[in-house]
Amino acid sequence: MIGLRIGCNDIRFIAPGPRAKAARRVRDCLIVLLLTGSLGGCGAPVRAPVVSRDHPPPQHVGARPAAYRVAQGDTLYSIAWRFGIDYTSIARWNGIGHPYTIYPGQRLSLVPAPRKRVVRRVSTKTPQSTGAARPNKPVVSGKQVSRLPPKGVSSSQTEAQNGGRDLKLHWLWPTKGPVVERFVKGDPVRKGVKIEGQYGASVNAAETGKVVYAGSGLIGYGRLVIIKHNKNFLSAYGYNKKIHVKEGDTVKKGIRIAEMGSDGNGKPMLHFEIRRNGAPVDPLKLLPRDR
């Protein structure tokens, strides 16, 4: 008689000498069954993560297609926000000028066009010298044009005068309440902060700017407002119960733009993000410490 003992980590046989060969055959068959998953196991079952249908995680910044077909309700800013791209880059890649108007069904490239290879022909003729040296920099009235800012003016001030690209922004907290989830760099889910509060509480503009998106077309944000503050900075306010502004409105810092709604678990919450040139930044480094 062949005795059989099965454990989670081994299989042992108890068999008399004459029947050892048969015992080995049974052992080999059992090993094959274990490897193919036919025998139930000793391992713990693997459970799939639970995701709320109302507020699924926002889409990954890095996961984007090469092109996108514009849907009803999209704006250039909302598309840039969805895929984590600077809106000026999308405009440049697709030849779209200010005020960045797009249309449903329009195909937008989300990657830069490949550069064309330029073949330069080398002349075999020897140029004749005129005896005059060619200047390396452009000359105006016999003087070289200086590319440095004037004395007493910093480079940041010069940039501010050229379109306000680096204007100083003074942020305000968009609502009252404790921060229950912080920003984590590189985490596709924690691209901002979550502020817990009261359902229907006032959600205010953190800085003066123009509303460039107001709707619920971005997965994971609920009713969302996006404000453009200058060429570099945008802020977003998600999970709203009600939106009080519309696209194109100019809002002042501190004015109410929405009412606080709830997250996927039913908790009153505001999802707040700040992005610079399309990339999420830590709002807590820009918001004042005193509230």
Side-chain angles (χ1 to χ4, degrees), residues 75-77 87-88 91-92 96-102 228 231:
T75 68
L76 188 72
Y77 300 93
Y87 69 94
T88 59
R92 184 173 65 255
I96 302 174
H98 190 270
Y100 309 120
T101 303
I102 58 176
K228 173 188 174 184
K231 186 176 180 181

Side-chain angles (χ1 to χ4, degrees), residues 20-191:
K21 187 174 181 180
R24 284 195 297 269
R25 290 180 179 176
V26 174
R27 179 199 63 189
D28 293 342
C29 292
L30 288 173
I31 290 174
V32 171
L33 291 174
L34 286 170
L35 292 176
T36 57
S38 298
L39 290 181
C42 307
V46 179
R47 297 182 178 180
V50 178
V51 178
S52 170
R53 293 183 179 179
D54 296 329
H55 295 286
Q59 295 177 341
H60 293 208
V61 170
R64 67 172 187 253
Y68 176 79
R69 188 74 63 181
V70 178
Q72 188 71 34
D74 282 341
T75 68
L76 188 72
Y77 300 93
S78 67
I79 296 171
W81 193 276
R82 175 180 300 172
F83 297 108
I85 316 172
D86 186 5
Y87 69 94
T88 59
S89 297
I90 299 181
R92 184 173 65 255
W93 298 336
N94 294 274
I96 302 174
H98 190 270
Y100 309 120
T101 303
I102 58 176
Y103 305 94
Q106 183 178 358
R107 184 182 182 275
L108 296 179
S109 176
L110 301 184
V111 294
R115 293 183 178 181
K116 296 181 179 179
R117 186 177 179 182
V118 179
V119 180
R120 296 182 179 179
R121 296 181 180 180
V122 179
S123 176
T124 58
K125 297 181 179 180
T126 303
Q128 296 180 356
S129 176
T130 60
R134 296 182 179 179
N136 294 326
K137 295 182 180 180
V139 176
V140 177
S141 301
K143 297 182 180 180
Q144 291 185 350
V145 177
S146 175
R147 301 187 184 274
L148 298 176
K151 293 182 179 180
V153 180
S154 66
S155 59
S156 60
Q157 288 175 323
T158 304
E159 290 175 350
Q161 294 170 0
N162 295 330
R165 289 174 291 180
D166 287 327
L167 287 176
K168 188 73 173 178
L169 298 175
H170 300 279
W171 301 90
L172 292 178
W173 283 87
T175 192
K176 296 180 180 179
V179 176
V180 295
E181 183 175 294
R182 291 174 174 263
F183 169 88
V184 177
K185 186 176 181 180
D187 191 325
V189 177
R190 298 186 177 184
K191 294 181 288 187

